[in-house]
Amino acid sequence: MFNKIFISLIVGGVFSSNTYALSLQESLVAANIYNAEINAARSVHDADNQKKYQGFAGLLPVISLNGAWNKTDQPDATYSAGVTRHNYSFNVTQPIFDISKYADWKKTLVIGDLADVNYLIAQQKLISDVVTAWYDVLYQRSVLETSKRVQAAFNVQLKQSHKALELGDGTHLDEAEAQANYDKSVADVLAAENDLNDASVVFRQLTGLDAQSIPGEDMGCLRFTGALDLEKLKRATVANNLNILAAIQTLKASETDIVTATSNHLPVVTFQAGYGKNWSRAENSNALDDLFGTTSKTDNTTFGLNVSIPLFAGGSQISQSLEAAHRFEQSKDLLIDARRKAEQQTIQAASGVKNNEARINAYKRAISSSEKRLSSTRYGREIGQRTLIDVFNAEKEYYQAIQDLAQAQNKWIQSVVKLSSSTGALDYSVVKNFSCGAA
């Protein structure tokens, strides 16, 4: 279920053939290495996955080697003065019936699975952030480019209004309107430059790369190839949404907590075995005793079963059982809530994809119509049937339609990313769908 974690980011396969320009895939590879948040998530994932080994170790025998050496001196004694005692022992302890250790092991497996899910969530967040940042840079570039075109157009109109006023062919109203439009366009350019700088900073913070390396790209070439069947999307969401999978693992952890609390009422059976030797030597003993301690050596072998039956602990164990039961009910409700929210996000994202596709088509038609209207208005101005203000308004509508199209395309990309994330399909392998250069 969690094989996506081990996706191999083969550089030769994801890097663009254009070495002079940065690709979206290259940005993701760079972010996967550079970004501190994903690196921290990777470390947490690796650390939590060690829990399952620790939990399983609790079911295995514990073997220890103990040894001691001490010397007791009796200065006034003629025999057994300076007695040195030695001992060592091997001890084995094996749990036979201990539900708490079994529950601990099951919980560590859940912790490992939850770590996998959380790491996938971090990966999805990184992919979503990088894709969004990438196209935010392109969008803000288009805003700046459009703003500069508007500024240049209004600058021409302002000069024309000055000349017309000097020749007596214009009015002060036309000049004031032209000046106001030009001043507004200057402010829009400054605002667009600031927004582009902010988008570039976000991209650099995620990837460590310069946003200037992002090539110019027409977002109109992007297409959503997936089906927008709501019932299929809902089923995919229930099966693959990472927030739902995380809630399922939390529910499983609550189940193991119930088992742990129940184990407090059950006996614990442990097998114990040991083998050891003890011997001592005295300074004034015979030669054999000095060499081998044969006069005072013993072997010890022990084995047996230890049974511990809980009888009364002040009611804390009953309270822990009730607490575990309540938390289990909480986990069930949180799972239901996660499913409902995921389905809602899927429906909203699918609706966003459809609506923004419709808006994109509408704005394309609006641009064509606005361009024709602008040409007609300029011609009408030349023959005296339209005023300079009419030309200003036509130019505003034309450039606004261009800007609206870019905004709709950017929102469409965000909706596709959200839809892929809510259905659990957003991973490194599908990022090629967000690139116009994808085959």
Side-chain angles (χ1 to χ4, degrees):
M1 183 171 68
F2 303 109
N3 289 336
K4 293 180 180 179
I5 292 177
F6 306 105
I7 294 174
S8 176
L9 297 178
I10 303 175
V11 176
V14 298
F15 273 39
S16 171
S17 60
N18 298 324
T19 58
Y20 59 88
L22 182 68
S23 70
L24 178 57
Q25 287 81 5
E26 288 174 324
S27 300
L28 283 166
V29 172
N32 192 57
I33 298 172
Y34 171 81
N35 187 263
E37 186 174 357
I38 192 65
N39 287 332
R42 190 177 296 114
S43 297
V44 170
H45 166 259
D46 294 341
D48 285 344
N49 265 288
Q50 294 300 314
K51 294 289 187 181
K52 57 187 176 184
Y53 302 110
Q54 299 170 19
F56 184 71
L59 303 176
L60 300 178
V62 176
I63 303 174
S64 62
L65 171 62
N66 301 321
W69 175 92
N70 61 77
K71 181 176 181 180
T72 304
D73 195 7
Q74 302 180 62
D76 298 332
T78 59
Y79 181 77
S80 296
V83 176
T84 302
R85 293 181 173 84
H86 311 260
N87 68 79
Y88 70 88
S89 64
F90 289 95
N91 302 289
V92 178
T93 303
Q94 170 65 57
I96 295 178
F97 182 83
D98 192 338
I99 299 300
S100 65
K101 291 186 179 297
Y102 171 78
D104 289 342
W105 171 59
K106 296 294 290 184
K107 188 166 186 176
T108 57
L109 295 179
V110 174
I111 291 174
D113 289 343
L114 183 58
D116 293 341
V117 175
N118 287 334
Y119 182 48
L120 286 175
I121 291 174
Q123 282 186 330
Q124 278 199 350
K125 182 178 182 300
L126 180 68
I127 295 171
S128 175
D129 290 345
V130 172
V131 172
T132 301
W134 171 278
Y135 282 104
D136 274 347
V137 171
L138 292 179
Y139 169 64
Q140 295 301 336
R141 280 182 185 172
S142 70
V143 172
L144 179 58
E145 180 183 354
T146 303
S147 298
K148 287 182 176 179
R149 291 174 62 186
V150 172
Q151 181 184 14
F154 284 142
N155 185 39
V156 172
Q157 295 293 349
L158 179 60
K159 292 178 180 179
Q160 290 179 353
S161 66
H162 287 325
K163 181 180 286 188
L165 186 62
E166 291 175 357
L167 298 175
D169 191 30
T171 65
H172 287 287
L173 179 61
D174 291 339
E175 183 184 38
E177 182 73 17
Q179 186 66 53
N181 287 331
Y182 176 73
D183 292 340
K184 175 66 166 53
S185 68
V186 172
D188 289 342
V189 169
L190 294 174
E193 289 176 344
N194 183 72
D195 291 341
L196 176 58
N197 181 68
D198 290 344
S200 299
V201 169
V202 172
F203 180 79
R204 177 183 286 276
Q205 187 271 334
L206 287 169
T207 64
L209 302 174
D210 190 351
Q212 292 183 354
S213 302
I214 298 177
E217 186 174 289
D218 181 10
M219 292 185 288
C221 67
L222 295 173
R223 295 291 183 272
F224 179 68
T225 57
L228 291 177
D229 186 327
L230 280 182
E231 292 304 319
K232 290 183 179 179
L233 291 174
K234 287 180 181 178
R235 289 195 294 270
T237 298
V238 172
N240 302 317
N241 182 272
L242 296 181
N243 291 324
I244 294 178
L245 295 180
I248 291 175
Q249 297 305 321
T250 302
L251 180 63
K252 291 182 178 179
S254 297
E255 291 177 340
T256 61
D257 288 338
I258 291 178
V259 177
T260 301
T262 303
S263 68
N264 294 330
H265 307 280
L266 300 176
V268 175
V269 181
T270 306
F271 171 78
Q272 295 176 334
Y275 172 79
K277 284 181 178 292
N278 297 273
W279 71 94
S280 62
R281 297 187 183 93
E283 293 180 353
N284 298 326
S285 58
N286 58 47
L288 292 177
D289 192 35
D290 285 337
L291 292 175
F292 304 106
T294 54
T295 58
S296 58
K297 179 181 291 186
T298 60
D299 293 341
N300 299 310
T301 301
T302 60
F303 62 90
L305 293 177
N306 182 56
V307 180
S308 175
I309 301 175
L311 297 178
F312 180 70
S316 64
Q317 296 170 347
I318 296 176
S319 177
Q320 291 172 5
S321 298
L322 294 174
E323 177 187 358
H326 289 306
R327 295 196 184 280
F328 178 71
E329 293 299 320
Q330 177 197 25
S331 298
K332 290 198 296 185
D333 291 333
L334 290 176
L335 176 58
I336 294 173
D337 182 62
R339 285 172 175 163
R340 290 174 178 173
K341 287 182 177 178
E343 288 187 4
Q344 179 184 355
Q345 291 170 357
T346 298
I347 293 172
Q348 290 175 337
S351 176
V353 172
K354 288 182 179 179
N355 292 340
N356 284 302
E357 283 180 348
R359 289 179 62 202
I360 288 171
N361 294 328
Y363 285 131
K364 286 180 179 178
R365 294 191 296 269
I367 290 174
S368 178
S369 300
S370 298
E371 188 175 14
K372 292 178 181 178
R373 180 184 177 186
L374 178 58
S375 298
S376 300
T377 304
R378 285 173 176 170
Y379 178 73
R381 166 66 176 166
E382 292 175 358
I383 63 177
Q385 293 183 354
R386 291 288 186 271
T387 65
L388 188 60
I389 294 179
D390 292 334
V391 176
F392 291 159
N393 291 334
E395 287 183 334
K396 286 181 181 178
E397 291 182 5
Y398 172 67
Y399 289 115
Q400 184 61 48
I402 294 176
Q403 194 55 59
D404 289 341
L405 174 61
Q407 185 182 49
Q409 289 171 333
N410 192 44
K411 288 187 175 180
W412 175 84
I413 291 170
Q414 294 178 15
S415 297
V416 173
V417 171
K418 290 178 180 178
L419 180 60
S420 300
S421 177
S422 64
T423 57
L426 185 62
D427 58 27
Y428 293 111
S429 65
V430 301
V431 172
K432 62 180 182 294
N433 298 331
F434 298 105
S435 174
C436 286

